[in-house]
Amino acid sequence: MDRLERKGFALRLARTLAERTGDRGYVVGLYGRWGEGKSTVLNFVRHGLASYPAEQVTGVEFNPWFDSDETHLYAEFLHAVAAAAGADLERKYEKAIRRASRAQRFAESVGLTNSVNNIVKVSTLLGAVGGLGQPTLRDFHDRLREVLAPASAAARRVVVLMDDIDRLDDAQISAVFRMVKLAADFPNLCFLLAFDQDVVAEALGARYRAGGAGGGWEFLEKIINAPLQLPRADPSVVAQVLREMLDQVLATHRVLLNEPGERIRLDNALEAAVWPCVTSLRQGKRLLSKADFALPIMAGEVNPADQVLMEALQLLFPDLYSFAATHKPPIPEVAEDLGIHPGTLHSWVSRARRNGSPSSDRLVAEPSPGVRLRESERAELERLRAEAREKDKRIRELEMERDVCKRFVVCG
């Protein structure tokens, strides 16, 4: 299903990768932020490549998450590309030697001395017949170059698809791009790398002498031959998809079905202040997932429309959410400012305070009339009053910020 209308772009990209001429490798970077749909585009590209004869082009998805060791990572990559090209980088006698070595280690671990001696003899004989020992990583590197060479009988274009590179830690990101740099000049090999360019540039910059994102961008520019920005999804389409998902959530919990006025209030608030602030379809799905979980828990205690809006407030404007939960003025006044029911806000405030909100100690109790305080208690009371005054001052500043934010959200 192509609700965000990226399939045409992805199929054109697949055709370009499959039909590109030239013996040298090529590296394409697909740039986009988290949750914007890079994985969906890569899936469309994979299906597009699959429409070509396997003898002409093969797509292979390589996942760098499984191996944190850089040497093992490159070895796994070489073997994966060779397999996609229909070749095996390991000779038969080398496999036999490797298996014999594994059997030898097992026999030694369980104390089978005679078996160890026999296995050593077999390994020595195999090595003598082959004329070589176990191949090195450089051997596999050179063999893959031969496999991909245009003159090779098995020659075909291989497109390597890699996703979620920006989710790796800095050392892993650096290892992946060194691997790509090593293999980028192989003939008939293309890379399609999907990642958040700012995250990766920051990670690479931290690992190299220039430092910072600037150094990372310089490194990327040396590796990425064709940087492509993920096409921006139509905001109206994203909003429509989220509306349909919201309908499913509300229908599942059977809320607002017979309350058209409340549903209109919810839709108006979402259209004015929530959907325009959702930066990706994934973020919208996260919001609706939170609402889907919270609605049955708070059923009968919180108005469902307000529940959805408070989940949006917590996800999109966490500072305003915290401010609403710890605000000192009376609940009805704050509720009126935020445009929600006082009962709903009261439930949220109570829950925040029960959970140990960092500002739940704002109210300072006054001593009862006629109660005499010790000097230490009076000093502590004065300290708390001074702290309360500072917090009240900060509240007034936050109120001003809140008003500015509300106007920006509604007008922007």
Side-chain angles (χ1 to χ4, degrees):
M1 196 171 185
D2 184 28
R3 295 296 301 273
L4 301 185
E5 302 177 350
R6 262 77 173 271
K7 187 175 182 178
F9 165 79
L11 294 181
R12 291 191 297 273
L13 177 56
R15 184 172 64 249
T16 302
L17 293 171
E19 300 176 2
R20 188 176 183 278
T21 59
D23 295 340
R24 289 183 60 82
Y26 205 73
V27 183
V28 178
L30 182 61
Y31 297 164
R33 302 198 182 282
W34 180 86
E36 289 186 344
K38 299 185 297 297
S39 298
T40 301
V41 169
L42 255 63
N43 284 333
F44 284 137
V45 170
R46 178 169 54 83
H47 287 297
L49 293 173
S51 67
Y52 286 83
E55 297 77 16
Q56 178 181 347
V57 62
T58 301
V60 55
E61 296 178 77
F62 183 73
N63 191 336
W65 288 73
F66 295 134
D67 208 324
S68 59
D69 181 83
E70 191 167 345
T71 300
H72 291 163
L73 178 71
Y74 193 51
E76 289 295 324
F77 166 78
L78 294 174
H79 285 290
V81 174
D88 191 342
L89 299 182
E90 198 172 25
R91 311 289 190 253
K92 289 184 178 179
Y93 75 87
E94 292 170 346
K95 291 182 180 179
I97 293 175
R98 177 169 51 80
R99 290 166 182 162
S101 299
R102 189 182 301 164
Q104 177 183 340
R105 290 194 297 271
F106 173 76
E108 289 173 344
S109 68
V110 296
L112 299 177
T113 307
N114 292 333
S115 297
V116 170
N117 293 332
N118 291 332
I119 292 171
V120 170
K121 291 177 183 178
V122 171
S123 298
T124 303
L125 177 61
L126 289 170
V129 171
L132 293 170
Q134 284 293 83
T136 65
L137 189 63
R138 181 64 194 223
D139 293 329
F140 289 141
H141 177 95
D142 293 339
R143 290 175 189 178
L144 181 59
R145 181 182 294 279
E146 294 174 3
V147 167
L148 296 175
S152 169
R156 71 182 74 174
R157 181 170 293 279
V158 176
V159 179
V160 180
L161 309 175
M162 295 178 64
D163 195 9
D164 290 333
I165 299 173
D166 47 9
R167 305 275 190 93
L168 301 169
D169 62 36
D170 289 1
Q172 290 173 311
I173 290 175
S174 176
V176 165
F177 278 91
R178 279 198 296 270
M179 178 193 78
V180 172
K181 190 173 188 300
L182 278 173
D185 64 342
F186 281 153
N188 287 319
L189 181 66
C190 288
F191 288 90
L192 178 56
L193 313 177
F195 55 90
D196 182 325
Q197 66 273 31
D198 293 330
V199 173
V200 168
E202 190 71 33
L204 292 174
R207 301 281 296 182
Y208 294 99
R209 61 180 180 273
W217 275 111
E218 291 179 7
F219 190 89
L220 277 178
E221 289 170 357
K222 294 176 181 178
I223 296 177
I224 303 296
N225 301 116
L228 298 177
Q229 190 68 44
L230 187 72
R232 184 172 180 266
D234 186 338
S236 65
V237 175
V238 173
Q240 180 58 33
V241 173
L242 294 177
R243 289 188 204 102
E244 294 172 7
M245 294 178 64
L246 175 63
D247 289 341
Q248 295 175 1
V249 170
L250 298 179
T252 298
H253 301 293
R254 302 190 63 80
V255 295
L256 303 184
L257 299 181
N258 300 315
E259 302 176 69
E262 284 297 285
R263 181 58 197 268
I264 291 173
R265 181 174 71 87
L266 173 60
D267 288 339
N268 288 342
L270 292 173
E271 294 294 337
V274 176
W275 300 146
C277 298
V278 172
T279 58
S280 68
L281 184 59
R282 182 174 296 179
Q283 187 182 41
K285 289 180 177 179
R286 184 182 173 198
L287 164 60
L288 295 177
S289 177
K290 283 165 57 65
D292 184 38
F293 184 78
L295 281 169
I297 296 176
M298 304 299 289
E301 185 177 353
V302 176
N303 177 278
D306 289 342
Q307 180 76 51
V308 175
L309 294 175
M310 290 297 276
E311 295 294 346
L313 187 68
Q314 185 179 30
L315 178 67
L316 301 174
F317 309 104
D319 291 339
L320 285 177
Y321 173 82
S322 177
F323 170 75
T326 57
H327 197 43
K328 186 176 180 181
I331 293 293
E333 180 182 328
V334 181
E336 182 180 357
D337 289 342
L338 296 175
I340 62 176
H341 292 172
T344 294
L345 186 57
H346 178 76
S347 296
W348 282 82
V349 170
S350 298
R351 189 167 68 175
R353 287 174 176 166
R354 287 197 302 269
N355 292 339
S357 170
S359 300
S360 61
D361 61 347
R362 176 175 293 137
L363 299 179
V364 180
E366 294 287 346
S368 302
V371 175
R372 298 184 62 181
L373 299 177
R374 292 190 295 271
E375 190 64 31
S376 60
E377 292 173 333
R378 187 175 298 281
E380 177 65 11
L381 180 58
E382 289 302 320
R383 186 189 68 79
L384 291 174
R385 284 172 171 164
E387 181 179 311
R389 286 192 294 272
E390 286 299 317
K391 288 186 175 182
D392 286 340
K393 178 181 177 183
R394 179 56 180 154
I395 286 171
R396 288 191 293 273
E397 294 172 351
L398 286 172
E399 285 175 336
M400 295 177 64
E401 294 177 12
R402 180 204 60 190
D403 292 338
V404 171
C405 288
K406 286 174 66 177
R407 294 190 185 95
F408 175 77
V409 168
V410 173
C411 299

